[in-house]
Amino acid sequence: MKRLLVLRLSALGDVIHTIPAVVSLRERADVTWVVEAPYRELVEIVAGVSTIPVRMKKWTREPRAAVGAIASMRHVDVSIDFQGLVKSAILGFLSGARTRYGFHRDAIREKPALLFSNRHVPVDTTKHVIEQNLELAGVEAGEGNWAAFPTAVPGTENSIVILPGAGKPNKIWPHFRELAKLLGSRALVVWGPGERDLAQAISAPMAPPTNLRELAYVLQKAEVVIGGDTGPLHLAAALGTKVVGLYGPTDPRRNGPYGQASRVIDRFRTTKSMESISVEEVVKTLERVLVE
């Protein structure tokens, strides 16, 4: 069986979007996944493959810290770079893999990354990123072991979860406080590192601090999860929870909650502004989703 190195370092949503391809790949190869350390447990439990955890920011400050991890990437036959960045492509090159797959120049995020791969695969960039990853790997989607991942957080069940945070300020919807007032005790604000002040400003019941597995439980047990283009929204969709996605500057056709396109409020093709999504429109969409 071939030894295969998967490269998708981060972030949460992107790791989730790579899992269906990796689950299928493990049926035909001995797979090891290079991933940022916070997502190691997610990958090992849900995708069922071994990992090499990395900390790229630390490596930038302390290059010697990378030596052991890079050494453990050796002795592979093939690498697949699902990230398309120079940093991920270099890791594939350093692995010594003779065959190194990556996206074609029309789909890759950083063109210089092409220098470090030798099999450039064209994909349909109009499709969802999960489907692009499947095309890169040449497989059909596999089902990850999502049921084994969540860890219970009692008292958070059956809520309408609000996700106020996002990786970039322009992905944050500014009207969650008004929405939460309408939802009353049904609302539960879920927040992550650096988001406590943002969550408190909504003035609604807040979830306790959670690790990733506890977050998965809160999202899995929600009635509906409402949020922008952020990792926890994609986690909720992967867990099978109904979502209402709020999209302004990013394209939901590529980055939307997979399998729930009809539950997205899309401003990408008009204003590209989260501000232009009204509370009334969110409430109307939420009411529809609750009865579906």
Side-chain angles (χ1 to χ4, degrees):
M1 182 174 283
K2 286 188 176 181
R3 295 160 297 178
L4 171 64
L5 192 71
V6 164
L7 300 153
R8 175 77 247 191
L9 310 180
S10 63
L12 175 59
D14 297 311
V15 170
I16 291 167
H17 290 156
T18 309
I19 285 174
V22 174
V23 171
S24 288
L25 284 169
R26 76 181 187 200
E27 301 300 323
R28 59 182 70 181
D30 179 7
V31 178
T32 300
W33 187 333
V34 183
V35 68
E36 287 280 355
Y39 310 118
R40 177 181 191 173
E41 197 172 38
L42 170 67
V43 165
E44 290 179 346
I45 293 173
V46 179
V49 298
S50 60
T51 62
I52 298 173
V54 298
R55 296 184 183 274
M56 297 300 288
K57 289 183 180 179
K58 181 178 180 181
W59 289 7
T60 302
R61 298 190 302 269
E62 304 174 35
R64 286 181 296 179
V67 174
I70 290 175
S72 65
M73 297 176 199
R74 307 290 294 182
H75 311 300
V76 297
D77 304 301
V78 178
S79 68
I80 304 181
D81 179 12
F82 288 96
Q83 190 139 4
L85 300 181
V86 170
K87 64 182 180 181
S88 55
I90 286 177
L91 292 178
F93 181 79
L94 292 175
S95 75
R98 297 185 65 180
T99 304
R100 301 182 300 279
Y101 288 93
F103 289 107
H104 187 269
R105 67 169 43 252
D106 294 334
I108 204 163
R109 291 174 62 187
E110 294 181 353
K111 296 295 190 292
L114 292 163
L115 298 172
F116 300 99
S117 56
N118 54 22
R119 300 288 190 276
H120 303 139
V121 181
V123 299
D124 185 346
T125 57
T126 66
K127 292 182 177 179
H128 194 279
V129 66
I130 285 179
E131 293 165 352
Q132 294 182 43
N133 288 337
L134 293 171
E135 289 185 12
L136 173 62
V139 295
E140 301 292 325
E143 293 290 334
N145 186 18
W146 287 103
F149 188 65
T151 295
V153 185
T156 61
E157 299 85 357
N158 302 315
S159 299
I160 296 176
V161 165
I162 288 173
L163 301 172
K168 296 180 180 179
N170 65 347
K171 293 183 181 181
I172 294 175
W173 189 53
H175 306 303
F176 276 120
R177 183 184 176 97
E178 299 165 62
L179 176 65
K181 187 175 181 180
L182 294 173
L183 296 177
S185 61
R186 300 173 73 191
L188 181 67
V189 182
V190 173
W191 51 284
E195 297 175 352
R196 183 186 288 271
D197 290 346
L198 183 65
Q200 288 177 333
I202 294 174
S203 297
M206 290 173 55
T210 56
N211 61 33
L212 190 54
R213 296 186 69 179
E214 292 166 337
L215 171 64
Y217 179 86
V218 176
L219 299 175
Q220 182 186 55
K221 297 300 181 180
E223 278 196 86
V224 179
V225 174
I226 307 172
D229 180 13
T230 184
L233 186 82
H234 298 299
L235 180 56
L239 289 162
T241 303
K242 297 177 182 179
V243 306
V244 174
L246 311 179
Y247 278 68
T250 52
D251 188 351
R253 291 175 299 182
R254 182 187 187 278
N255 296 310
Y258 195 60
Q260 301 197 45
S262 65
R263 296 169 178 166
V264 170
I265 299 174
D266 179 9
R267 289 292 184 275
F268 181 75
R269 271 162 287 283
T270 55
T271 66
K272 291 183 169 58
S273 168
M274 298 293 282
E275 174 71 36
S276 66
I277 299 174
S278 69
V279 174
E280 292 75 18
E281 189 173 7
V282 174
V283 169
K284 184 177 179 180
T285 303
L286 173 60
E287 290 174 344
R288 172 174 59 82
V289 170
L290 281 168
V291 299
E292 286 180 343

